[in-house]
Amino acid sequence: MTTVRLTPTDNAVSFDTDALVVGVHTGPDGLLPAPGAEGLDQALGGRLAATLESVGAKGKPGEISKIPTFGALTAPLLVVVGLGDAPGDGSKEGYDAEILRRAAGTAVRALAGTGRVALALPAASAEHAGAVALGGLLGAYSFTRYRTAGEQSSPVSELAVLTDAEGAQAAIERATTLATSVSLVRDLVNTPPSDLWPARFAEIAEQVGTEAGLSVEVLDENALKEGGYGGIVAVGQGSANPPRLVRLSYSHPEAGTKLAYVGKGITFDSGGLSLKPTASMDWMKSDMGGAGAVFGALLAIARLGLKVNAVGYLCLAENMPSGTAQRPSDVFTSFAGKTVEVLDTDAEGRLVLIDGIARAGQDDPDVIVDVATLTGAQIVALGWRTAGVMGNDDDLRAEIVATAGEQGEAAWPMPLPDELRKGLDSPVADIANLHPERFGGMLTAAIFLREFVPDGVRWAHIDMAGPAFNKGEAHGYTPKGGTGAITRTLVGLAERYAGEPPR
Ligand code: BES
Ligand code: MN
Ligand code: ZN
């Protein structure tokens, strides 16, 4: 992975690097160099703004201008990234961290193939230095494992963050830890399902999790059958690659709170016998993104040594049609003891999650949060980039939405209207997995899950069907394909419960 280090801001002109990145604002009277760019204008003979205007720069977010320095700076290339309007209060500290993350990511993505990149963006506080580092590291991500020619390794080898802020070293260490987790989640999502099936995912979790200091337990298909995990068994029974349940746990002697995270880990979702149409299937390798986020978050929590207790469950299965697959109208008994009629085998995520949620209840957690690429209805309701947050506790739901916002991950609260519960009544079992109404599909899925939440436990559900996988163009620090979405929100929530300030 790309490495990152710090250097003081007065180094900008003479810093030995292949590209120097600065920011520019859209000002009322033209372009306005951002903090970090001041000294450079002088070195460039006062021509920075005029040069930028001549190449059509407007200072808008997402905009990049590359300017050769002809020896005026040690860096041969100056890269100017748009930051939009200057902070309303006009201060060096007034920046929104997400603007900085995205700007750093945009710049580093535009510099793929460049060896060393120095980021002289506004970083007056440790939080902002961390944001610049994180955006840069996430923007440097690439997935080239399956290419036989060309770039095989990280396209940017070293990042330097120019800052004088106190505490910046700790902030870039946190950023590196987060970026390592998010990059691993992206790799897992991007890995073709022929190379990532439940047992393989469990092996990776065991190996990497143990190295990070987590306790890891894996239940195989026999243990799942014996243990009464009817949902995970039912979804996995159609595949030649049997299911797994992974439990990751982390504890801190001074912890006040125990968090339980449960992730949907469908390594491929064909729909099962309720087969998906081709156009909806080709990206269903991403259906383990929830388990990926839980895994990545537990790794980061352990590596950061946060003052919380945390358990993570990865509910791993491959949803395939075959002679052994579950049939629409089959009934199974879930881990919680309730029976479920399976009317649609493509509504499989909720079936594996209810076993994970009920099992998590045995750990006596204060909070359960499940994360899943659960419904196409989430994308209909909120679009590709905004996750839906639901739950049985409005305060917890609000905390998660706020935490996501702090980390720069878009999430929005959604309701669980009681009148939708009736549609899940089954004529034969305790509950059916499909609501006859297509409308409100994100909500009915969550209402199904709610039935399996242990009594008295605060629970929230994050549907990230859209955010987990970027089918469009790369933007900011988000690449095409696997995004690692919600990993940072889960870490941020743990930091919040560990009593750490938001950053
Ligand atoms: N994995 C899908 C949901 C999904 C859709 C994720 C698009 C990412 C992008 C899930 O298992 C599914 O198939 N859900 C069905 C539920 C329906 C049958 C009630 C859906 O949303 O169509
Ligand atoms: Mn499905
Ligand atoms: Zn699915």
Side-chain angles (χ1 to χ4, degrees), residues 264 269 276 283-284 287 344 346-350 373-377 379 434 465:
K264 170 178 173 180
D269 182 11
K276 284 183 183 295
W283 44 303
M284 280 304 128
D287 213 19
D344 189 321
D346 198 13
E348 85 297 339
R350 61 196 75 182
T373 49
L374 203 59
T375 66
I379 307 171
L434 186 71

Side-chain angles (χ1 to χ4, degrees), residues 324-419:
T324 60
Q326 64 172 337
R327 313 150 191 83
S329 76
D330 273 357
V331 173
F332 69 82
T333 303
S334 68
F335 187 78
K338 286 188 184 164
T339 58
V340 178
E341 184 183 17
V342 180
L343 294 175
D344 189 321
T345 64
D346 198 13
E348 85 297 339
R350 61 196 75 182
L351 306 183
V352 300
L353 284 173
I354 57 173
D355 282 355
I357 290 169
R359 171 62 184 86
Q362 296 188 342
D363 291 311
D364 240 344
D366 299 292
V367 167
I368 298 179
V369 180
D370 78 75
V371 192
T373 49
L374 203 59
T375 66
Q378 177 274 316
I379 307 171
V380 175
L382 293 171
W384 290 108
R385 297 192 193 174
T386 306
V389 186
M390 291 139 278
N392 63 7
D393 184 297
D394 289 358
D395 293 336
L396 176 62
R397 189 184 62 184
E399 275 173 23
I400 290 175
V401 170
T403 304
E406 286 160 9
Q407 305 301 325
E409 299 197 297
W412 206 249
M414 299 300 275
L416 298 182
D418 282 324
E419 72 274 14

Side-chain angles (χ1 to χ4, degrees), residues 191-467:
T191 299
S194 53
D195 282 342
L196 191 77
W197 58 95
R200 178 77 193 111
F201 194 154
E203 247 171 53
I204 296 170
E206 192 152 31
Q207 197 204 320
V208 182
T210 307
E211 279 166 19
L214 298 169
S215 306
V216 186
E217 289 162 45
V218 179
L219 299 187
D220 67 9
E221 67 272 32
N222 297 320
L224 288 167
K225 269 179 222 154
E226 270 163 37
Y229 295 87
I232 298 176
V233 169
V235 173
Q237 74 189 36
S239 173
N241 302 309
R244 294 287 183 271
L245 178 65
V246 177
R247 177 177 184 273
L248 307 161
S249 82
Y250 165 79
S251 60
H252 189 287
E254 291 158 56
T257 305
K258 184 187 261 185
L259 299 170
Y261 292 157
V262 181
K264 170 178 173 180
I266 302 299
T267 56
F268 184 71
D269 182 11
S270 71
L273 287 175
S274 312
L275 198 65
K276 284 183 183 295
T278 307
S280 319
M281 208 194 285
D282 61 10
W283 44 303
M284 280 304 128
K285 66 176 184 179
S286 62
D287 213 19
M288 35 54 70
V294 168
F295 177 39
L298 264 287
L299 291 175
I301 290 167
R303 288 170 178 156
L304 293 169
L306 298 183
K307 227 180 264 180
V308 285
N309 292 334
V311 290
Y313 286 92
L314 316 181
C315 306
L316 305 173
E318 188 180 47
N319 190 22
M320 296 292 271
S322 76
T324 60
Q326 64 172 337
R327 313 150 191 83
S329 76
D330 273 357
V331 173
F332 69 82
T333 303
S334 68
F335 187 78
K338 286 188 184 164
T339 58
V340 178
E341 184 183 17
V342 180
L343 294 175
D344 189 321
T345 64
D346 198 13
E348 85 297 339
R350 61 196 75 182
L351 306 183
V352 300
L353 284 173
I354 57 173
D355 282 355
I357 290 169
R359 171 62 184 86
Q362 296 188 342
D363 291 311
D364 240 344
D366 299 292
V367 167
I368 298 179
V369 180
D370 78 75
V371 192
T373 49
L374 203 59
T375 66
Q378 177 274 316
I379 307 171
V380 175
L382 293 171
W384 290 108
R385 297 192 193 174
T386 306
V389 186
M390 291 139 278
N392 63 7
D393 184 297
D394 289 358
D395 293 336
L396 176 62
R397 189 184 62 184
E399 275 173 23
I400 290 175
V401 170
T403 304
E406 286 160 9
Q407 305 301 325
E409 299 197 297
W412 206 249
M414 299 300 275
L416 298 182
D418 282 324
E419 72 274 14
L420 296 179
R421 169 62 186 84
K422 204 170 172 7
L424 293 171
D425 283 346
S426 159
V428 296
D430 296 338
I431 194 166
N433 81 328
L434 186 71
H435 197 281
E437 275 267 23
R438 190 162 57 86
F439 304 111
M442 168 168 53
L443 317 181
T444 52
I447 286 168
F448 177 87
L449 297 178
R450 183 171 63 182
E451 296 286 314
F452 297 84
V453 175
D455 282 341
V457 182
R458 301 168 78 206
W459 158 77
H461 160 62
I462 306 177
D463 192 338
M464 37 98 94

